[in-house]
Amino acid sequence: MELVEATEGDLDALVERWYDLATSTVSYSELNELAYADASEVPDEGFREHLEDPSTTDYLVSVDGDTVGFVTLETGHRPSRARSRYLKIVNLAVDEEHRNRGYGAAVVERVRAMAGDRDCDYLTVSCEWDNDGARRFYRDAGFEPKQVT
């Protein structure tokens, strides 16, 4: 498994995978209601902006040359904290037909290494509180619950 930094040519693949991920969160809160009925209606502007933003990077999850998912990472700094530099997993999705093969866990381990390489103090992620599967996945990956928003 490797993470391949996304380029402009990958925008459609990112949008489609993001839409699948976003659709899966709709049932957890009315705040997750989507404005688009279909992935083809979603503009790629958000991901296009990531290409220009040094704090946000999208990666395709690649296994033997095949794309099986994506992850969006964001670096940040909270100067009022002793542990101030962080790397955040904003989005992480493995395509349904490739789940339960350890790719998600491998992505988290790779991202954890990237956080160390970037001299970050910690790695953070958010997920829907009622999404027991996601919470279990992140707990098993070593994350600890911190807050409910």
Side-chain angles (χ1 to χ4, degrees):
M1 188 288 308
E2 64 179 321
L3 298 181
V4 179
E5 189 169 340
T7 66
E8 190 168 340
D10 300 315
L11 293 175
D12 288 342
L14 290 168
V15 167
E16 287 177 28
R17 285 177 168 87
W18 172 85
Y19 188 80
D20 288 343
L21 176 62
T23 301
S24 74
T25 69
V26 169
S27 65
Y28 297 110
S29 170
E30 64 186 33
L31 296 174
N32 294 336
E33 182 180 356
L34 295 173
Y36 307 101
D38 182 277
S40 65
E41 297 175 11
V42 178
D44 64 11
E45 290 310 306
F47 287 106
R48 188 174 299 280
E49 289 174 10
H50 292 176
L51 296 174
E52 305 299 323
D53 182 350
S55 69
T56 305
T57 309
D58 295 295
Y59 295 91
L60 299 175
V61 179
S62 179
V63 176
D64 298 328
D66 293 326
T67 299
V68 301
F70 85 107
V71 62
T72 304
L73 303 178
E74 176 184 273
T75 56
H77 182 243
R78 294 188 174 106
S80 63
R81 306 284 184 182
R83 297 173 62 197
S84 63
R85 293 184 39 80
Y86 66 88
L87 182 61
K88 179 178 184 175
I89 299 172
V90 177
N91 298 308
L92 170 56
V94 173
D95 299 345
E96 190 169 352
E97 63 272 17
H98 297 285
R99 292 181 189 156
N100 299 311
R101 298 183 189 178
Y103 300 139
V107 169
V108 170
E109 286 309 308
R110 177 67 183 105
V111 170
R112 188 171 275 123
M114 291 169 77
D117 293 345
R118 295 177 185 189
D119 201 30
C120 292
D121 297 309
Y122 63 100
L123 180 61
T124 185
V125 67
S126 298
C127 69
E128 296 296 325
W129 188 258
D130 289 332
N131 186 338
D132 294 331
R135 289 181 60 215
R136 183 174 36 256
F137 170 79
Y138 289 117
R139 187 176 50 249
D140 290 349
F143 289 88
E144 298 175 12
K146 182 176 182 263
Q147 71 184 36
V148 178
T149 303

